[in-house]
């Protein structure tokens, strides 16, 4: 019945209907990427084994506006290494927003420390500085703000609180490459910033990440720990600490360098995609979209909607109905304290956002026609059209 209606509706309005599922993410690979990777695989060996790695790290640090960058196996490895370098361990507490990818809490737990989950802001979906302040105890050692879905966290307030309480800050800027907070890039505020180039992110290396810092000594220590704690200057294969190996390959760095050289194009496209959605969905009662506070710029990594509870359809039923129309979506990240390893926290905003939020298709290849089709489908399922 519903299907028939849709068909009829499609016919009347001459709706474009996709042949394949429209996916939530998707990268853009051009001749530049292919030529850099071909060069790396052909020539990037022996004395050239680190050429692309060093070029990529140097270019990334200057793009973010920091002194140092270390390419890693992924965003998770970068977060882990950052916390390890700061000496986070048993007995320490690290404050994390509820709405994030579970990499954040995993690395804290794996270091023997305790993640403390706090609520988020209703508009930006990032850590609420008031909730952060209330969660600080004598055991708190670090704060991990997350620039979720490319929306910048409130870094002025968070850095003030960190300074006042002498806490370290490791920013999860994994999805936020190209975002801005008061003319500075997320990831450049704390002791460390972590980025991800996983396949769904705005720029990709397949898997991969980057750890950045402005602190010379911390950078040196991170490099040393990521080299298994080998005291290279003393003796080859002489270890003075147990360590890690969250490495990126030169081949991936070649891909990453080419992607970074095109980052402005990617951010512009992501913002364009959001504008297309916003034009069509912003007036719908019961839906809220990504929000940009004055003085900030989101990279609009994922165009998203939050559904009011009384909108008349369950979040997952809307996702199911969209899937039938060949529209792929992602649920928001669940509040992490809901998982069985933790004690569920009273974080009403995170619970609302985490259970009512949907990431809409936002891949770099998406067209306005497709966005139009998706927005019309959302309206149709909601009964607004
Ligand atoms: C993507 C992402 C990560 C993890 O990055 P990986 O490279 O997959 O390890 C961590 N945190 C957030 C908020 C992310 O979006």
């Amino acid at each position: 019945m519903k299907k028939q209606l849709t068909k009829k509706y499609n016919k009347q309005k001459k709706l474009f209907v996709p042949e394949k599922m429209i996916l939530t993410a998707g990268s853009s690979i051009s001749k530049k990427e292919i030529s850099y990777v071909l060069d790396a695989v052909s020539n990037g060996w022996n004395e050239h084994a680190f050429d692309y790695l060093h070029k990529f790290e140097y270019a990334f640090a200057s793009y973010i506006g920091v002194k140092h960058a270390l390419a890693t196996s992924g965003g998770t490895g970068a977060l882990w290494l950052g916390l390890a370098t700061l000496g986070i361990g048993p007995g320490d507490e690290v404050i994390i927003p509820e709405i994030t990818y579970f990499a954040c809490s995993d690395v804290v737990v794996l270091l023997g420390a305790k993640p403390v989950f706090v609520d988020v802001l209703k508009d930006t979906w990032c850590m609420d500085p008031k909730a952060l302040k209330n969660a600080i105890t004598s055991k708190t050692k670090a704060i991990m703000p997350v620039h979720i879905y490319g929306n910048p966290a409130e870094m002025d307030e968070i850095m003030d609180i960190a300074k006042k309480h002498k806490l370290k800050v490791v920013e999860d800027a994994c999805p936020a490459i190209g975002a801005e907070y008061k003319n500075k890039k997320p990831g450049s505020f704390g002791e460390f910033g972590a980025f991800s180039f996983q396949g769904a992110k705005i720029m990709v290396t397949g898997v991969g990440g980057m750890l950045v810092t402005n602190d010379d000594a911390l950078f040196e220590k991170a490099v040393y720990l990521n080299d298994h704690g080998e005291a290279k200057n003393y003796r080859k294969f002489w270890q003075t600490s147990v360590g890690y190996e969250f490495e990126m390959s030169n081949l991936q760095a070649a891909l990453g360098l080419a992607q970074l050289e095109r980052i402005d194009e990617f951010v512009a496209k992501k913002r364009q995609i959001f504008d297309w959605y916003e034009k069509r969905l912003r007036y719908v009662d019961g839906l809220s979209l990504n929000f940009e506070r004055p003085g900030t710029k989101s990279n609009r990594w994922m165009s998203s909607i939050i559904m009011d509870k009384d909108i008349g359809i369950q979040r997952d039923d809307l996702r199911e109905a969209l899937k039938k129309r060949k529209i792929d979506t992602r649920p928001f990240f669940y509040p992490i304290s809901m998982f069985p390893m933790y004690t569920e926290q009273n974080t009403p905003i995170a619970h609302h956002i985490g259970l009512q939020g949907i990431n809409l298709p936002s891949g770099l290849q998406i067209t306005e026609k497709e966005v139009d089709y998706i927005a019309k489908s959302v309206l149709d399922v909601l009964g607004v059209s």
Side-chain angles (χ1 to χ4, degrees), residues 255-296:
L255 176 51
L257 180 65
Q259 290 267 287
L260 183 62
E261 289 174 0
R262 298 177 57 213
I263 188 68
D264 292 344
E265 172 195 334
F266 300 159
V267 174
K269 178 69 195 272
K270 289 282 187 183
R271 291 181 61 83
Q272 168 77 266
I273 295 166
F274 178 76
D275 290 345
W276 289 334
Y277 278 117
E278 194 188 32
K279 200 165 84 184
R280 292 163 173 87
L281 295 175
R282 94 182 119 182
Y283 297 114
V284 181
D285 273 347
L287 282 190
S288 42
L289 284 73
N290 309 50
F291 183 81
E292 218 165 38
R293 288 193 172 192
T296 73

Side-chain angles (χ1 to χ4, degrees), residues 70 72-83 170 193-195 209-211 246:
L70 176 65
T72 59
S73 55
T76 306
L79 290 169
W80 198 338
L81 186 59
L83 289 180
V170 177
F195 295 88
M210 196 76 84
L211 181 70
F246 299 122

Side-chain angles (χ1 to χ4, degrees), residues 72-79 99-104 144 146-150 172-176 194-201 206-210 301 330 333:
T72 59
S73 55
T76 306
L79 290 169
I99 298 295
T100 185
Y101 186 52
F102 32 58
C104 296
M144 193 187 283
V146 181
H147 306 282
I148 198 76
Y149 305 128
D172 180 344
C174 283
F195 295 88
S196 169
F197 314 121
Q198 174 263 344
K201 294 296 202 285
V207 293
M210 196 76 84
W301 171 48
R330 296 187 356 172
F333 295 128

Side-chain angles (χ1 to χ4, degrees), residues 98-309:
E98 280 268 46
I99 298 295
T100 185
Y101 186 52
F102 32 58
C104 296
S105 41
D106 282 352
V107 296
V108 173
V109 173
L110 288 168
L111 283 166
K114 183 184 169 200
V116 173
F117 304 106
V118 297
D119 212 347
V120 297
L121 295 165
K122 200 163 181 193
D123 55 358
T124 64
W125 316 327
C126 293
M127 177 182 271
D128 179 349
K130 271 203 202 90
L132 161 65
K133 226 186 272 176
N134 292 335
I136 294 171
T137 71
S138 59
K139 291 182 177 168
T140 309
K141 286 285 150 54
I143 309 169
M144 193 187 283
V146 181
H147 306 282
I148 198 76
Y149 305 128
N151 295 345
E154 288 304 296
M155 290 317 295
D156 278 354
E157 283 171 84
I158 292 170
M159 293 311 294
D160 281 350
I161 294 167
K163 267 195 201 106
K164 200 167 145 209
H165 295 269
K166 297 196 168 54
L167 304 174
K168 307 293 184 194
V169 175
V170 177
E171 289 173 74
D172 180 344
C174 283
I177 301 164
E180 284 172 24
Y181 180 86
K182 302 191 180 167
N183 297 319
K184 274 179 74 175
K185 297 262 181 0
S188 66
F189 291 84
E191 269 72 20
F192 285 111
F195 295 88
S196 169
F197 314 121
Q198 174 263 344
K201 294 296 202 285
I202 192 162
M203 56 171 276
V204 300
T205 60
V207 293
M210 196 76 84
L211 181 70
V212 305
T213 183
N214 273 312
D215 187 303
D216 299 342
L218 284 178
F219 179 68
E220 211 173 290
K221 187 173 174 198
V223 170
Y224 156 78
L225 283 179
N226 206 33
D227 260 335
H228 289 280
E230 185 184 345
K232 275 192 180 144
N233 294 336
Y234 174 61
R235 259 182 201 164
K236 182 75 184 159
F237 296 136
W238 188 264
Q239 192 188 37
T240 48
S241 161
V242 296
Y244 302 89
E245 194 194 70
F246 299 122
E247 284 188 328
M248 177 184 280
S249 74
N250 194 58
L251 288 174
Q252 290 169 291
L255 176 51
L257 180 65
Q259 290 267 287
L260 183 62
E261 289 174 0
R262 298 177 57 213
I263 188 68
D264 292 344
E265 172 195 334
F266 300 159
V267 174
K269 178 69 195 272
K270 289 282 187 183
R271 291 181 61 83
Q272 168 77 266
I273 295 166
F274 178 76
D275 290 345
W276 289 334
Y277 278 117
E278 194 188 32
K279 200 165 84 184
R280 292 163 173 87
L281 295 175
R282 94 182 119 182
Y283 297 114
V284 181
D285 273 347
L287 282 190
S288 42
L289 284 73
N290 309 50
F291 183 81
E292 218 165 38
R293 288 193 172 192
T296 73
K297 179 181 168 185
S298 169
N299 69 2
R300 306 294 200 199
W301 171 48
M302 284 275 171
S303 290
S304 308
I305 50 174
I306 314 274
M307 304 159 63
D308 281 0
K309 278 228 174 67

